[in-house]
Amino acid sequence: MATDPETAAFFLEQLDGHPDCAGVALRRMFGEYAVQREGKTLGLICDDTLFVRQLPEVTAFLDTPVAGLPYPGAKPWWRIEADLWEDSDWLARLVCLLDLVIPAPKPKRPRKDGRASPRRKAPDAR
C-alpha cells in the first residue's frame, strides 16, 4: 500500500515553523517517500509510517523503539507511527538529530567523458 499524499503533507506541515528543519523535503520514490535534507536521506515514509535508521543516538532518543521493515527485504529500521508526529516539537528534534548523526553522502566522481549522465549508444544501423 502506497503512502497517502495527505500523510506526506502532514509530515511537512509538522516541521513548518521549526527553523532547524528548514530544507527538509520529501522525494517521491515508488509510491513512498524519502525524507531528505541537503542530499542526505534522513528516513523513509512507507505505508503512512516513518522509518528511521537504527543508530545508537536515535535509539537513545526514542522512548521505546519499535523495529519494522519499510519494504520487503529491507534491514530493520525504527518504526515511528503517524500518531507520534502530532507533537511537532518532538518530531523536529528527531529530524534534527538524524541530520546531525547521518553523514553527508559522498560526492559523485565526475565522468571521464564529461557527460552528466550515462547514455546508451544507439546500435549501429547496418
Side-chain angles (χ1 to χ4, degrees):
M1 177 173 108
T3 296
D4 187 343
E6 291 178 10
T7 302
F10 176 72
F11 178 84
L12 289 177
E13 286 172 17
Q14 291 298 91
L15 297 178
D16 280 351
H18 293 278
D20 295 336
C21 294
V24 173
L26 297 180
R27 181 176 177 202
R28 191 153 173 99
M29 299 172 57
F30 309 109
E32 307 297 355
Y33 296 87
V35 180
Q36 296 185 328
R37 182 173 190 205
E38 297 177 3
K40 291 193 275 188
T41 298
L42 306 178
L44 302 172
I45 299 177
C46 302
D47 295 331
D48 298 321
T49 303
L50 175 64
F51 290 90
V52 296
R53 296 201 303 202
Q54 293 183 353
L55 302 169
E57 298 88 349
V58 175
T59 303
F61 178 80
L62 299 173
D63 253 350
T64 53
V66 176
L69 301 176
Y71 53 88
K75 293 180 180 180
W77 291 45
W78 292 133
R79 179 184 181 102
I80 314 241
E81 296 292 340
D83 60 335
L84 291 174
W85 308 357
E86 294 290 335
D87 183 350
S88 64
D89 293 331
W90 181 86
L91 184 62
R93 287 193 315 271
L94 174 63
V95 169
C96 288
L97 174 64
L98 289 164
D99 189 38
L100 286 173
V101 299
I102 294 175
K106 294 179 183 177
K108 294 182 181 179
R109 296 189 321 193
R111 292 179 48 99
K112 290 182 182 181
D113 60 8
R115 290 189 297 176
S117 63
R119 303 196 193 282
R120 289 187 174 171
K121 291 185 179 182
D124 292 336
R126 293 184 190 208

